[in-house]
Amino acid sequence: FYWGAFLVTLLSLWLGREFHIALEQGGPVCAKERRREYEVRVHWIYTTSGAMLWVLVRSGLAIAYHRAVHKKVEWVQLGVSWVLVVCYCTGNAVFLRMMRKRNLVGTRSLIVCNAVFSVCMLAALISYAVDVWAHEVSGDMKTIDAAYQAYVLFEKTCAVAFFLLATGVYCKLWSIYRYQERNIRRRLLETVPAMLSASVMLVLLYLGLVFNQKEFQPYIWATFT
């Protein structure tokens, strides 16, 4: 299990770094990059970007499989995954850009975006756990279903814990840069792509998780688990 997790992390790191190299973000954020900046850049941004890009690879394999076996492709599910992947990678790219520019407002804006996203995922997880508990108490759940739901709950809990931990690490950059009053409007506008991406992700989370659309929920969770 350990080596399997290590290999997956290493592949995600490699793919994420290649992605950010293509965006000219493959090196340190500055000549004297601090340990906190290195940790955020390499351990988290590169790795999460890579993991999201592997979702695209998985989508391509899913298309080939479903066309060959079922003669039908779940385009809605794939579309939701693609939108989430694009938004997440866009946010990571803008995050690195703000770090390279030493932009206090931009960096804090991205941290807030990550925090809001993590809290929404946590709320969705709690809602799911309460729903599972209610079915178990009422006796509607079979033994096989209970074991499966326990596995799904564990999987979702790990995903949410990961996002919360990432947000905690990002918060280390909250006061690392100096406030620059000049050009504040221009610097804030640079975060617009990330803000739009975060807004799209929150809309999808609201529709599928908070609003509790049963047919839409699995598409979102499948992308992150």
Side-chain angles (χ1 to χ4, degrees):
F1 175 80
Y2 170 81
W3 287 110
F6 177 80
L7 179 60
V8 170
T9 302
L10 186 63
L11 289 173
S12 297
L13 173 60
W14 170 79
L15 184 58
R17 184 171 183 271
E18 292 300 314
F19 168 74
H20 286 284
I21 285 177
L23 300 177
E24 299 182 351
Q25 297 177 334
V29 297
C30 64
K32 296 182 179 180
E33 184 179 60
R34 305 182 193 184
R35 176 63 190 179
R36 286 174 287 176
E37 293 173 312
Y38 174 84
E39 182 180 358
V40 169
R41 176 175 63 88
V42 177
H43 296 177
W44 292 93
I45 293 182
Y46 285 174
T47 305
T48 53
S49 292
M52 290 293 100
L53 292 173
W54 281 119
V55 172
L56 293 182
V57 176
R58 184 185 66 183
S59 297
L61 296 175
I63 291 174
Y65 172 79
H66 286 292
R67 278 187 169 177
V69 178
H70 302 294
K71 310 297 181 182
K72 182 181 179 181
V73 179
E74 295 288 343
W75 291 111
V76 175
Q77 178 179 359
L78 293 174
V80 171
S81 293
W82 292 340
V83 170
L84 290 172
V85 168
V86 170
C87 290
Y88 202 95
C89 290
T90 299
N92 276 350
V94 176
F95 200 166
L96 269 181
R97 178 177 172 81
M98 295 301 102
M99 290 172 61
R100 295 172 77 89
K101 286 182 169 291
R102 329 299 289 170
N103 187 336
L104 176 66
V105 175
T107 300
R108 287 185 174 181
S109 298
L110 270 295
I111 293 173
V112 171
C113 287
N114 276 278
V116 172
F117 169 75
S118 300
V119 170
C120 286
M121 292 294 287
L122 177 61
L125 174 65
I126 294 174
S127 175
Y128 177 81
V130 170
D131 187 53
V132 171
W133 176 79
H135 280 81
E136 185 176 356
V137 170
S138 64
D140 295 337
M141 192 176 297
K142 299 178 181 179
T143 304
I144 297 178
D145 292 337
Y148 173 75
Q149 292 298 339
Y151 168 76
V152 172
L153 185 61
F154 171 76
E155 188 178 42
K156 293 181 176 181
T157 300
C158 290
V160 173
F162 175 85
F163 289 122
L164 290 172
L165 180 60
T167 301
V169 173
Y170 296 155
C171 284
K172 294 179 180 180
L173 304 180
W174 185 261
S175 301
I176 196 172
Y177 305 126
R178 296 180 60 185
Y179 179 76
Q180 298 180 8
E181 187 173 359
R182 297 178 305 169
N183 303 324
I184 184 63
R185 182 179 178 183
R186 180 177 62 81
R187 289 179 178 273
L188 184 58
L189 287 175
E190 289 178 337
T191 66
V192 167
M195 296 298 184
L196 291 177
S197 297
S199 299
V200 171
M201 293 179 73
L202 289 176
V203 168
L204 289 174
L205 287 172
Y206 175 77
L207 292 176
L209 302 177
V210 181
F211 198 62
N212 203 27
Q213 289 189 6
K214 300 297 184 181
E215 296 181 358
F216 199 63
Q217 275 195 28
Y219 300 156
I220 299 175
W221 281 113
T223 302
F224 297 113
T225 56

